[in-house]
Amino acid sequence: MTPPPTPPVPGPGAATSLLTDQYELTMLQGALASGAAGHRSVFEMFARRLPEGRRYGIVAGVGRFLADLERFRFDQAELDFLADRRIVNDVTLDWLAGYRFSGDVWGYAEGEAYFPGSPILVVEASFAEAVLLETLALSVYNHDSAIASAASRMVLAADGRPLIEMGSRRTHERSAVAAARAAYIAGFATTSNLEAGRSYGVPTAGTSAHSFTLLHDSERHAFASQLGSLGTGTTLLVDTYDTLRAVRTAVELAGPELGAVRIDSGDLAAMAKEVRNLLDGLGAHQTRIVVTGDLDEFSIAALAVAPVDGYGVGTALVTGSGAPTASLVYKLVARSDGDDPRLRPVAKRSVGKPSRGGRKWALRRRSAEGLALAEVVTTQEPVPGPHDRPLLRRLVAGGEVVAHEPVQAARERHARTLAELPPTALRLSRGEPDLPTCFE
Amino acid sequence: MTPPPTPPVPGPGAATSLLTDQYELTMLQGALASGAAGHRSVFEMFARRLPEGRRYGIVAGVGRFLADLERFRFDQAELDFLADRRIVNDVTLDWLAGYRFSGDVWGYAEGEAYFPGSPILVVEASFAEAVLLETLALSVYNHDSAIASAASRMVLAADGRPLIEMGSRRTHERSAVAAARAAYIAGFATTSNLEAGRSYGVPTAGTSAHSFTLLHDSERHAFASQLGSLGTGTTLLVDTYDTLRAVRTAVELAGPELGAVRIDSGDLAAMAKEVRNLLDGLGAHQTRIVVTGDLDEFSIAALAVAPVDGYGVGTALVTGSGAPTASLVYKLVARSDGDDPRLRPVAKRSVGKPSRGGRKWALRRRSAEGLALAEVVTTQEPVPGPHDRPLLRRLVAGGEVVAHEPVQAARERHARTLAELPPTALRLSRGEPDLPTCFE
């Protein structure tokens, strides 16, 4: 037997600095050599476009990024790896050993809507300090915002009915935790993921799978065991053999206080109707019907007229419903000249990937009634009109994180933000971004 | 300022047991109450189908799952969370406190091809022990196999030219590490991800981004700094302003020993041809051309006739090129009856989601020439023909992991496995699975 591979187990407060592309470090080395490493620089994160057909995006990952930033340092283990593999030279290693981010960061708050060109993160620091954050910032925001953006549409489609996030098994085990968090911010009621419950306080849910029924000699025995152990308020999974027969058995055993039944296969709309009629006929008027099984925002919307009380969503949620990444980029938009401390705009001229130079501000222009009208992005600090809402808030001041908040705050912000978007935002159909982005 | 959220920082050798759906634990509670928890059970992981149009899948995640399994236990922190949130009762908490997996696991080796119905993981243990592993096993295998399956096709498309994995920024920061590992197993040459270098020994690569050029007062100054710091063997990014002018500057500064130039935008095929002609005209015959920018297996194949020496792949790799999850499921297929220790097949009868009951074995039927002919899946231990290759190997014996191996071994297995598949497997076009799955 060969020896076990080095287990990739992060230590307590493990450094996050190697969750990074190598070129961030080789650029640092080059900049230290050229003397440009200390040039004051502004990097911005933004999306050139939304995923095809989407009308808005939801910013998520802010809290996770800030927590990761506080652990972004090069301890001996990281330095040893870089030295052993000769990834950077000794000058660079010395610099990294003392690295702590000391710059300033502004950004859209978590749960906020964004549009093409919205400067959702603005990092001002020396080039050296700011470039190192590129990969990690993008990883966190691209993943979490993709999930939250998809989740937000599912919540709209569900129109007040609760959604259970249950996609953990369809994505990387740590992405699953972040996905549950992002879904909760965007309005999901609960998650199946226990670590999301522990790490972020997301409410958790879950009762049983088909294997529990198959384990017992009869469905009746399985149901009785579950009811005895979890109480009559539990959710019984009724589609292992014959759904209607299972519903009868369930009510027979639990009485009309049975909490819910779950249907995971077949024609969910038709079956929900049959099950509702049967439950009502048995006097179980309060027993809820939860449906699961490859749901996305469109199939949820299609079930609007079905007698369904809740939806469980898995694969489509954790894969961003067709858009598993948010296409956010992190670009140098301004820098000083070394001797001259004033920032001047920079932008590359590549074909098809234009960038807009200059440091940005943003506000949401709103009508007197509070309806969002436009995303206004400026290269000078704007004077907000009486109904405008500035979108950048300070996240990090002189290297210190100043914007920790519980996920509940982001969840409430998401609800408020959606409420001010024009009605077109509520459409699931493919369309253009819901607000125009005006560069002023 | 509100207090910081509980930081989700795993401790040293942190327990992986909460990376799990709640219902695995509530089923355990129900089974402990009903007396069925100890019933000997077999769960299997398999795909009902491959992603649309794919001809084979690649198993990945085996090594990661085995490492996670060794840390799958309920320490005081996990028990406290479950107790505080009243997720399970005291009897269940007591059982969990003493939990260590003590069963047996067989599986396809990492890097192996799989087809619909291939039993890529077979877990035999008490119901209680085996059901707890469901979510984590699926998370790891579904993610890693999706990435490896996409990567394998890209490697075929590149036809011997090296591929650099550079998708970290487009996926969750920890998925990125696993994606780099999976891509390497499937034949990628290098990754940009430093943590994948440290954790798994994947070779890393990376030099500079557009921001490095924009940081300096001229492209010439940026190139000179990079060459001075990283040596003439480095890769210069030439498309920040005017690609051909940049190539001239690059060779002027580095001489014909310049390692490579990278083109990240525009018409890559046309530009590569122009750049090759220019490099050759300047005497830089050995300078390689690396192209990047939203490549997938199809655009890689389309560049086959272009003078390209290597490809960098990001988004399409980490999102599984349209199939970000592998659709693997984990199903109870057999169990004992309690008093009778013999395993008997079980299967649910849900509409559209059939399962095949009974514990499975698998072998790859091959011709005398070693060409794969069929995936043979049996419910009795098969007697392999002279050219058949058994596919299940022991991974865990009596709770002890017995199949640790370095990723290099999986990488070599992937290459061998692909070599025995029929030529249709090499087609990128949409089609049916490359081998028929025969249930015997």
Side-chain angles (χ1 to χ4, degrees), chain A residues 377-397:
Chain A
V377 179
T378 64
T379 51
Q380 300 292 327
E381 189 159 3
V383 180
H387 310 298
D388 294 348
R389 192 158 62 79
L391 293 165
L392 289 177
R393 66 192 301 217
R394 177 83 81 143
L395 302 177
V396 180

Side-chain angles (χ1 to χ4, degrees), chain B residues 150-372:
Chain B
S152 179
R153 284 161 56 85
M154 294 171 186
V155 170
L156 286 176
D159 198 20
R161 292 172 176 173
L163 289 160
I164 308 168
E165 188 284 306
M166 38 183 271
S168 295
R169 65 190 56 198
R170 301 290 180 217
T171 189
H172 183 278
E173 67 276 16
R174 296 274 168 199
S175 306
V177 184
R181 178 183 180 279
Y184 184 66
I185 287 170
F188 271 54
T190 52
T191 179
S192 64
N193 189 285
L194 290 171
E195 189 60 57
R198 173 165 70 168
S199 291
Y200 302 111
V202 179
T204 60
T207 54
S208 61
H210 296 106
S211 61
F212 188 78
T213 300
L214 295 170
L215 171 69
H216 292 86
D217 293 332
S218 68
E219 192 169 53
R220 176 177 297 270
H221 184 196
F223 285 2
S225 301
Q226 184 177 331
L227 290 162
S229 177
L230 301 177
T232 50
T234 194
T235 300
L236 292 173
L237 177 58
V238 290
D239 72 339
T240 303
Y241 304 111
D242 177 298
T243 301
L244 295 176
R245 190 186 305 166
V247 171
R248 276 191 207 92
T249 306
V251 176
E252 192 185 317
L253 291 168
E257 284 75 37
L258 175 63
V261 295
R262 175 161 81 95
I263 310 170
D264 182 53
S265 54
D267 178 338
L268 296 174
M271 189 49 78
K273 200 167 172 186
E274 284 193 74
V275 168
R276 182 75 269 159
N277 287 339
L278 178 56
L279 286 169
D280 288 345
L282 296 167
H285 300 285
Q286 302 306 314
T287 301
R288 290 169 300 113
I289 298 175
V290 176
V291 295
T292 57
D294 280 335
L295 294 176
D296 63 12
E297 62 270 43
F298 302 105
S299 50
I300 290 168
L303 286 163
V305 296
V308 167
D309 302 288
Y311 305 94
V313 187
T315 306
L317 185 278
V318 297
T319 59
S321 198
T325 186
S327 307
L328 297 165
V329 295
Y330 181 91
K331 296 294 173 190
L332 180 67
V333 296
R335 63 170 173 84
S336 73
D337 251 333
D339 298 335
D340 182 352
R342 282 173 302 180
L343 291 165
R344 60 189 189 99
V346 295
K348 66 174 174 159
R349 292 179 212 137
S350 307
V351 182
K353 291 185 179 176
S355 295
R356 232 169 264 270
R359 185 255 167 80
K360 314 292 186 312
W361 284 261
L363 50 81
R364 192 149 296 155
R365 183 145 294 156
R366 298 187 300 179
S367 70
E369 294 73 32
L371 189 75

Side-chain angles (χ1 to χ4, degrees), chain A residues 126-295:
Chain A
S126 69
F127 176 82
E129 291 196 17
V131 77
L132 285 182
L133 301 182
E134 176 176 28
T135 308
L136 182 59
L138 285 172
S139 290
V140 172
Y141 274 81
N142 267 323
H143 174 267
D144 292 14
S145 300
I147 305 305
S149 298
S152 179
R153 285 161 55 84
M154 294 170 186
V155 170
L156 286 177
D159 198 20
R161 292 172 176 174
L163 290 160
I164 308 168
E165 188 285 307
M166 39 182 271
S168 295
R169 64 189 57 197
R170 301 289 180 217
T171 188
H172 183 279
E173 67 277 16
R174 296 273 169 201
S175 307
V177 184
R181 179 184 179 278
Y184 183 65
I185 287 171
F188 271 55
T190 52
T191 179
S192 64
N193 189 285
L194 290 172
E195 188 60 57
R198 175 165 68 168
S199 291
Y200 302 112
V202 179
T204 60
T207 54
S208 62
H210 295 107
S211 61
F212 188 78
T213 300
L214 294 171
L215 171 68
H216 292 86
D217 292 331
S218 68
E219 193 170 52
R220 175 177 297 269
H221 185 198
F223 284 2
S225 302
Q226 185 178 330
L227 290 163
S229 178
L230 301 177
T232 49
T234 194
T235 301
L236 291 173
L237 177 59
V238 291
D239 72 338
T240 303
Y241 304 111
D242 177 299
T243 301
L244 296 177
R245 190 184 309 168
V247 171
R248 271 189 212 98
T249 305
V251 177
E252 193 184 317
L253 292 168
E257 284 73 39
L258 176 63
V261 296
R262 176 160 79 95
I263 310 169
D264 183 53
S265 54
D267 180 336
L268 296 175
M271 190 48 79
K273 200 167 171 188
E274 285 193 74
V275 168
R276 182 74 271 159
N277 287 340
L278 179 55
L279 286 170
D280 288 345
L282 296 167
H285 300 285
Q286 303 305 316
T287 301
R288 289 170 299 112
I289 298 175
V290 176
V291 295
T292 57
D294 280 335
L295 295 176

Side-chain angles (χ1 to χ4, degrees), chain A residues 294-419:
Chain A
D294 280 335
L295 295 176
D296 63 11
E297 63 270 43
F298 302 105
S299 49
I300 290 168
L303 287 163
V305 296
V308 166
D309 303 287
Y311 305 94
V313 187
T315 306
L317 186 276
V318 297
T319 60
S321 196
T325 185
S327 307
L328 297 165
V329 296
Y330 182 92
K331 296 294 172 189
L332 180 66
V333 295
R335 64 169 173 84
S336 73
D337 249 335
D339 298 337
D340 182 351
R342 283 174 302 181
L343 291 165
R344 60 191 190 96
V346 295
K348 66 173 175 159
R349 291 180 211 135
S350 306
V351 182
K353 291 185 182 177
S355 294
R356 232 169 263 270
R359 184 255 167 80
K360 313 293 187 312
W361 284 261
L363 50 80
R364 192 147 298 154
R365 183 147 293 158
R366 299 189 299 179
S367 70
E369 294 73 32
L371 189 74
L373 301 173
E375 190 84 339
V376 178
V377 179
T378 64
T379 51
Q380 300 292 327
E381 189 159 3
V383 180
H387 310 298
D388 294 348
R389 192 158 62 79
L391 293 165
L392 289 177
R393 66 192 301 217
R394 177 83 81 143
L395 302 177
V396 180
E400 195 201 342
V401 173
V402 295
H404 283 303
E405 64 178 15
V407 290
Q408 191 64 35
R411 181 174 158 90
E412 289 162 11
R413 183 179 298 112
H414 170 261
R416 286 196 304 276
T417 296
L418 277 207

